[in-house]
Amino acid sequence: MTASIIDGKAFAHRLRERIAGRVAQFRAAAGRAPGLAVVLVGDDAASAVYVRNKGKMTIAAGMESFEHILPADTTQADLEALVDRLNADPAVDGILVQFPLPAGLDEARIFTRIAPDKDVDGLNPENVGRLASGLHGFVPCTPLGCVMLLKDTLGDLSGLDAVVIGRSNLVGKPVAQLLLRENCTVTVAHSRTRDLSSVVKRADIVVAAVGRPHMIKGEWLKPGATVIDVGINRTAEGLVGDVDFAGALSVAGAITPVPGGVGPMTIACLLRNTLVSAHRRAGVPYDKGAL
Ligand code: NDP
């Protein structure tokens, strides 16, 4: 068996095209464009590239992009004052503060400060609680992208055994919540899990969000399993995922590559969340449709 490749890059491209179509309709209805504010503190090279790409894709989708690039020695008070201004700015529908923040700045206080109705990254505790309680709210972008790819590949996920490896607030926990919402039987594995290979062996769905190159081996997988590799690891061979891709190809039913799998979904889902926010804030009905 050779696994089919889940082409996240192509899926994200189509999603961004549909979003651009909806943005045009929103502009006609509301008389303004949806606005996304992205805040970058410091000069981390990878974050700077990511923020630049977000800005470009925001504009390409027909939205307004507000970029705030602050020096690494920005104080907590100054950053919070900027978040407060963005919370109050009617042109801003979504606020994203790029993490990690430089040492000395308190990330938890920042994502608690972002107004829940503009928290398109879904990290404010109110939105985290809404997801856990099954209420409407913003869902973190990478987990949302993972579940979109799974539903596109498998259709109904109901009753499937899913193993999520990793329990971070950013990826593992929200992926597990979303899969539970899709009626999967969910196991969350982490660094203290015993006999991880046997846990993975029973899974119809494996979501790997660890940050360790090629840790999950092909022989751990149940034949035919669908594998979503969230890991982004910079190695001498370039960017690789958490799954031993070559080993998994002959066992899995479908698998995301790294790069070109989950990665491109994150920005597309950020634009999607911003579009939803703009509709809610402007009182324009939002037709979920294919988004
Ligand atoms: P974290 O470092 O916050 O979390 C890693 C998780 O992996 C922890 O829960 C940890 O367990 C678990 N873990 C570590 N070692 C093992 C092990 N040996 N066996 C089982 N579990 C283990 O990472 P993130 O969740 O933020 O990110 C995970 C990966 O996803 C990274 O490679 C990151 O770059 C990538 N990523 C990709 C994104 C994208 O595609 N757009 C977006 C965000 C992240 P414990 O809790 O016990 O410590």
Side-chain angles (χ1 to χ4, degrees):
M1 179 197 289
T2 300
S4 59
I5 305 299
I6 301 174
D7 189 345
K9 195 174 170 191
F11 187 98
H13 181 77
R14 292 194 299 273
L15 181 57
R16 289 199 313 274
E17 281 184 345
R18 290 200 299 274
I19 290 168
R22 296 290 189 85
V23 168
Q25 289 168 9
F26 175 84
R27 291 174 80 130
R32 67 172 181 89
L36 173 63
V38 178
V39 180
L40 173 65
V41 187
D43 43 22
D44 180 77
S47 294
V49 170
Y50 198 42
V51 164
R52 243 194 331 272
N53 282 341
K54 279 175 183 163
K56 272 192 215 152
M57 289 190 186
T58 303
I59 291 164
M63 299 187 186
E64 268 215 83
S65 169
F66 307 101
E67 271 182 31
H68 295 268
I69 315 282
L70 307 182
D73 61 358
T74 299
T75 63
Q76 183 81 22
D78 284 347
L79 184 54
E80 289 181 9
L82 173 60
V83 169
D84 290 346
R85 283 203 300 283
L86 297 173
N87 282 341
D89 185 342
V92 172
D93 297 296
I95 302 170
L96 181 138
V97 177
Q98 186 68 44
F99 296 119
L101 291 173
L105 293 174
D106 184 337
E107 293 186 351
R109 270 174 55 196
I110 295 301
F111 49 67
T112 304
R113 191 98 177 185
I114 295 171
D117 70 331
K118 296 190 178 187
D119 171 38
V120 285
D121 222 9
L123 296 175
N124 180 294
E126 180 170 326
N127 284 316
V128 176
R130 284 180 164 272
L131 176 60
S133 311
L135 300 171
H136 279 292
F138 288 114
V139 173
C141 302
T142 304
L144 184 60
C146 292
V147 174
M148 280 186 184
L149 292 179
L150 280 169
K151 288 170 79 170
D152 187 59
T153 306
L154 293 169
D156 185 11
L157 307 184
S158 191
L160 296 178
D161 265 317
V163 169
V164 181
I165 312 165
R167 56 172 164 180
S168 70
N169 291 331
L170 187 63
V171 189
K173 281 187 210 160
V175 167
Q177 292 287 357
L178 286 170
L179 291 174
L180 205 51
R181 191 186 267 189
E182 297 298 328
N183 300 314
C184 291
T185 302
V186 182
T187 302
V188 182
H190 45 77
S191 67
R192 310 294 172 87
T193 298
R194 289 187 199 154
D195 196 6
L196 183 60
S197 61
S198 327
V199 173
V200 169
K201 195 75 185 175
R202 64 167 185 259
D204 304 303
I205 293 171
V206 178
V207 181
V210 180
R212 289 179 170 236
H214 294 166
M215 189 190 86
I216 290 119
K217 306 298 176 202
E219 63 265 24
W220 295 9
L221 299 170
K222 175 174 168 177
T226 302
V227 181
I228 303 289
D229 191 350
V230 186
I232 299 179
N233 305 291
R234 281 163 226 284
T235 69
E237 325 150 37
L239 281 190
V240 302
D242 289 343
V243 180
D244 173 15
F245 185 77
L249 268 182
S250 58
V251 188
I255 183 167
T256 56
V258 177
V262 174
M265 293 299 291
T266 302
I267 294 181
C269 288
L270 178 68
L271 299 178
R272 181 237 174 237
N273 282 354
T274 304
L275 179 67
V276 172
S277 176
H279 280 75
R280 283 186 195 153
R281 296 185 59 259
V284 175
Y286 180 71
D287 169 18
K288 196 164 174 282
L291 299 180

